[in-house]
Amino acid sequence: MAAASGGEKEKERPGGGAGAAGGNSTRERLLSALEDLEVLSRELIEMLAISRNQKLLPPDEENQVLELLIHRDGEFQELMKLALNQGKIHHEMQVLEKEVEKRDSDIQQLQKQLKEAEQILATAVYQAKEKLKSIEKARKGAISSEEIIKYAHRISASNAVCAPLTWVPGDPRRPYPTDLEMRSGLLGQMNNPSTNGVNGHLPGDALAAGRLPDVLAPQYPWQSNDMSMNMLPPNHSNDFLLEPPGHNKENEDDVEVMSTDSSSSSSDSD
Amino acid sequence: MAAAVAMETDDAGNRLRFQLELEFVQCLANPNYLNFLAQRGYFKDKAFVNYLKYLLYWKEPEYAKYLKYPQCLHMLELLQYEHFRKELVNAQCAKFIDEQQILHWQHYSRKRMRLQQALAEQQQQNHAAGK
């Protein structure tokens, strides 16, 4: 009989098939058609064999069988063509699937590369931002070199940060304001000066060392004229007892601390 | 609130406050004064501690340029720590700080003296060699 070359096809045929026996897949239909052909042809051959032995036969049966055989054969041929088409389609599908796989892997490759690129860019952007921040910070802290030199001159000329070259132990000069200097400043003058020796220096030492004129000379830069009004301290200074930033008066009974604030501050932070 | 606003617009008062705070913050460079404050319990007062925190504005360059004794800023920073404030009650602590401060103060003059000595020695050698 015709070879069932489409043996591995299991496609379903859309729509109804020929009303033959067997399942819906082409393969099953092909196989059932083959079986029918086989049966019919066997019958025919038997009938021919019988008719050779006997004389008579109902002629209808022969014709019927023949017709059935032809019919089945026709069906079989159609099914074969169908199987062939389906094979082609299946082949195309495989080709397309391969294409799809190839595109898939291409896309994955691109995705990987994109991810890498994104990471590199993100790092670059982050570092650029950090750089910008540090540039901003540096710019904020920029001070003219002239000012710095002036300041350096000021603090070293008065021996505030570098000892005088002739300093020996016993010299009352110090890198910080001494007792006498503190008392003769604005703070000390405001209240009654306390009688304890605050430092290790008694007031007499300064006189004895002959340093008085220097000590009483303008110590602090406000006595020169460089203070400008917009250099005032931050304005929440009057309340220190409450939680910062709400402060209260800080000047209970401390001798040296300024006490003029109390006269005009009575406000709470709210 | 109205009183505070009035205070801020008071020019003479602000100028005075500036001077006073300038003086006070520089006094903090004196370890003996700090010992004095510690022993009288000022560092235990919360208002005082808050005031010390408020004084940190002197670190800004616009204000710092008025400081004659810049070491006071370092002491101010240290004073923000409770442990330091507690330690300052001891006289030895204050004495130690004082000694170190003075030694550091002499650092540059010592260096210069050494350089001068080295230069003098070298000149002597050259002189002796030249003869």
Side-chain angles (χ1 to χ4, degrees):
Chain A
M1 301 299 128
S5 60
E8 59 256 9
K9 307 217 179 18
E10 293 180 356
K11 311 286 184 310
E12 302 227 346
R13 190 183 178 195
N24 283 333
S25 77
T26 310
R27 172 200 225 171
E28 283 169 12
R29 281 160 60 208
L30 273 174
L31 286 178
S32 83
L34 264 181
E35 277 176 26
D36 286 344
L37 280 176
E38 193 179 352
V39 166
L40 283 171
S41 49
R42 199 176 289 153
E43 259 192 58
L44 194 59
I45 293 178
E46 274 181 21
M47 285 170 72
L48 282 176
I50 292 174
S51 72
R52 182 182 294 194
N53 292 342
Q54 299 175 351
K55 277 270 176 68
L56 261 183
L57 251 193
D60 294 336
E61 273 190 41
E62 276 181 26
N63 288 344
Q64 244 181 22
V65 172
L66 265 177
E67 271 169 25
L68 271 177
L69 191 63
I70 295 174
H71 188 250
R72 272 283 176 270
D73 188 54
E75 270 186 28
F76 186 72
Q77 296 300 328
E78 273 183 35
L79 280 176
M80 281 305 289
K81 276 190 215 143
L82 184 67
L84 205 61
N85 280 341
Q86 284 181 345
K88 279 193 208 135
I89 293 178
H90 181 71
H91 181 71
E92 270 186 39
M93 277 175 68
Q94 278 184 342
V95 165
L96 283 175
E97 262 182 27
K98 263 192 219 127
E99 272 285 324
V100 164
E101 266 178 39
K102 195 157 89 68
R103 299 300 160 117
D104 258 346
S105 74
D106 278 349
I107 290 181
Q108 274 185 7
Q109 183 78 357
L110 279 175
Q111 193 181 9
K112 245 184 253 165
Q113 288 180 345
L114 264 179
K115 258 214 170 81
E116 275 177 28
E118 185 210 351
Q119 199 174 9
I120 294 179
L121 277 177
T123 316
V125 162
Y126 172 73
Q127 288 186 351
K129 278 202 189 125
E130 292 293 307
K131 246 213 173 95
L132 277 177
K133 262 192 253 180
S134 68
I135 289 180
E136 201 46 54
K137 211 164 133 182
R139 193 181 308 159
K140 261 198 298 200
I143 303 183
S144 82
S145 58
E146 198 180 310
E147 261 194 58
I148 295 189
I149 294 180
K150 264 197 262 179
Y151 184 64
H153 192 73
R154 188 153 34 151
I155 55 179
S156 29
S158 56
N159 290 323
V161 287
C162 182
L165 290 171
T166 58
W167 199 86
V168 286
D171 190 326
R173 289 176 290 184
R174 286 288 181 273
Y176 41 75
T178 52
D179 179 38
L180 193 63
E181 291 170 12
M182 289 202 286
R183 289 222 200 92
S184 59
L186 208 50
L187 273 181
Q189 295 303 324
M190 272 174 31
N191 304 307
N192 296 327
S194 83
T195 50
N196 344 347
V198 180
N199 275 352
H201 306 296
L202 301 175
D205 283 353
L207 283 169
R211 312 290 323 159
L212 246 192
D214 284 349
V215 162
L216 290 182
Q219 292 293 333
Y220 306 117
W222 69 78
Q223 289 176 350
S224 58
N225 305 335
D226 25 21
M227 199 191 74
S228 52
M229 283 315 289
N230 52 1
M231 281 299 118
L232 294 171
N235 52 17
H236 50 74
S237 65
N238 293 320
D239 307 314
F240 285 100
L241 260 185
L242 308 176
E243 287 309 304
H247 309 289
N248 205 334
K249 308 185 255 286
E250 72 283 3
N251 42 8
E252 316 291 356
D253 46 355
D254 187 7
V255 172
E256 308 273 10
V257 175
M258 59 204 82
S259 59
T260 50
D261 285 354
S262 63
S263 58
S264 42
S265 78
S266 55
S267 59
D268 268 323
S269 59
D270 299 330
Chain B
M1 205 55 195
V5 168
M7 176 69 175
E8 282 155 44
T9 54
D10 180 357
D11 259 6
N14 278 335
R15 185 172 301 160
L16 186 63
R17 185 159 66 90
F18 181 81
Q19 293 180 358
L20 293 173
E21 291 185 0
L22 177 60
E23 261 194 54
F24 182 69
V25 81
Q26 287 180 108
C27 288
L28 293 178
N30 187 336
N32 299 310
Y33 181 57
L34 292 179
N35 185 31
F36 167 81
L37 288 177
Q39 284 179 343
R40 275 153 188 75
Y42 284 105
F43 290 153
K44 299 207 187 89
D45 182 6
K46 186 108 186 15
F48 193 78
V49 172
N50 287 342
Y51 181 61
L52 287 177
K53 193 163 165 199
Y54 152 75
L55 280 180
L56 283 172
Y57 74 84
W58 284 102
K59 283 168 74 173
E60 304 288 319
E62 316 79 71
Y63 291 103
K65 68 182 181 192
Y66 293 108
L67 293 175
K68 185 176 157 203
Y69 297 103
Q71 289 179 357
C72 68
L73 287 180
H74 182 62
M75 303 304 271
L76 182 64
E77 276 172 33
L78 285 179
L79 277 172
Q80 303 300 318
Y81 294 101
E82 166 120 25
H83 190 70
F84 183 68
R85 296 197 291 268
K86 286 206 175 101
E87 282 297 307
L88 273 176
V89 179
N90 305 332
Q92 303 108 312
C93 176
K95 192 156 175 306
F96 174 72
I97 297 180
D98 191 22
E99 282 169 11
Q100 293 298 313
Q101 246 181 316
I102 293 180
L103 284 174
H104 174 76
W105 187 47
Q106 296 173 324
H107 174 74
Y108 282 113
S109 16
R110 271 201 302 261
K111 200 160 145 187
R112 207 183 295 175
M113 269 200 302
R114 273 200 293 261
L115 277 177
Q116 279 178 348
Q117 275 177 0
L119 190 60
E121 278 171 30
Q122 207 182 27
Q123 278 180 349
Q124 270 186 1
Q125 278 177 1
N126 289 347
H127 199 58
K131 270 201 184 147

